[in-house]
Amino acid sequence: MERVEILLTEEEVNERIAEIGRQISKDYEGRPVHLICVLKGGAPFMCELAKRITCVVSFDFMYVSSYGSGTESSGQIKIIKDLDEPLEGRDVIIVEDIIDSGRTLSRLIDIFKKRNPASIRLCTLLDKPDRRVADDVNVDYVGFRIPDEFVVGYGLDYDQKYRNLPYIGVVKFD
Ligand code: IMP
Ligand code: MG
C-alpha cells in the first residue's frame, strides 16, 4: 500500500488561499465574480477560496473527463456535466486543483470563450510548470508551483482516494 508524505501543510495551504482571496477581492472590487469549479478536484479549493473573497460571488460547476491513458491527459475532453448558467457578460474565474499538461484547461477555455463572458481568468491551487504542453494557458492566480511529482489531498486523488486530506502530500510507493 502507498503512503503519503506531506509536501504543504494545512496551515501553509490555508494561508496561501487566504492571500489569493484577498488578491481577487482587490482585483474585482465592486464587481460580482462567477467562480467555475472544475469537478471533482477543484471543489475543496473553491469552497475555501470563496470564503475569502469579499465581492459578490456565484458558483457553477463543470465536470469533464479527458480521454487518455493512465496519468497522461489527451487533447480531447468529454463534458459529463455542463454549467447550469450562461456566461454572457460575466466575470468568470475558472478554479482548478492542478494544472499539469494544461490540455484540459486549454479546451475548457475554448468552450467558455464561445459563450461570451466579459472576462475569463484562471486560478489553480497547484501548478506543475515543467509538465506544460499547452502553450495558450496563462494562469492568473497560482497557489504553489510544485515539482513534477504525483500529489494528493485538498481535492486531488490517487485512485479516488485522499481527496479529503486537509494538506497536500506526495504519494510514495515503497
Ligand atoms: P492536464 O493539465 O490536462 O494534464 O490535467 C490536469 C488534471 O490531471 C488535473 O485536473 C488532475 O485531475 C489530474 N492531475 C494532474 N496531476 C495530478 C497529480 O499530481 N495528482 C492528482 N491528479 C493530477
Ligand atoms: Mg482537475
Side-chain angles (χ1 to χ4, degrees), residues 38-42 64 66 71-75 77 96-106 124 126 128 131-134 137 146-153 155-159 163 169 171:
V38 184
L39 294 171
K40 303 172 187 169
V64 296
S66 62
T71 56
E72 204 60 45
S73 73
S74 71
I77 59 172
E96 257 283 26
D97 49 2
I98 191 164
I99 304 178
D100 189 39
S101 73
R103 288 189 182 107
T104 309
L105 264 180
S106 173
T124 186
L126 304 172
K128 285 185 194 171
R131 298 263 302 168
R132 191 77 81 261
V133 175
V137 174
I146 59 164
D148 181 13
E149 290 198 83
F150 196 82
V151 290
V152 293
L156 291 148
D157 74 303
Y158 168 67
D159 219 3
R163 291 191 194 275
V171 182

Side-chain angles (χ1 to χ4, degrees), residues 127-140:
D127 185 14
K128 285 185 194 171
D130 298 345
R131 298 263 302 168
R132 191 77 81 261
V133 175
D135 54 10
D136 55 348
V137 174
N138 299 309
V139 196
D140 302 281

Side-chain angles (χ1 to χ4, degrees), residues 7-67:
L7 177 67
L8 298 162
T9 66
E10 181 172 4
E11 290 71 26
E12 287 174 305
V13 175
N14 287 340
E15 178 44 40
R16 185 71 190 114
I17 294 174
E19 277 172 22
I20 298 172
R22 283 194 288 273
Q23 187 63 49
I24 289 174
S25 305
K26 219 193 263 173
D27 294 350
Y28 289 81
E29 206 182 341
R31 285 186 289 157
V33 286
H34 191 55
L35 301 183
I36 294 180
C37 172
V38 184
L39 294 171
K40 303 172 187 169
F45 174 42
M46 185 164 103
C47 294
E48 201 56 38
L49 178 66
K51 289 190 273 179
R52 310 292 162 212
I53 299 176
T54 54
C55 317
V56 172
V57 168
S58 52
F59 287 175
D60 209 341
F61 299 87
M62 182 94 168
Y63 190 8
V64 296
S65 74
S66 62
Y67 297 100

Side-chain angles (χ1 to χ4, degrees), residues 9 30 65 72 76 87 103 114 121 161 165 168 172:
T9 66
S65 74
E72 204 60 45
Q76 292 191 34
L87 299 183
R103 288 189 182 107
K114 292 193 182 117
R121 285 190 176 179
K161 292 179 292 187
L165 298 180
I168 301 292
K172 299 281 180 190

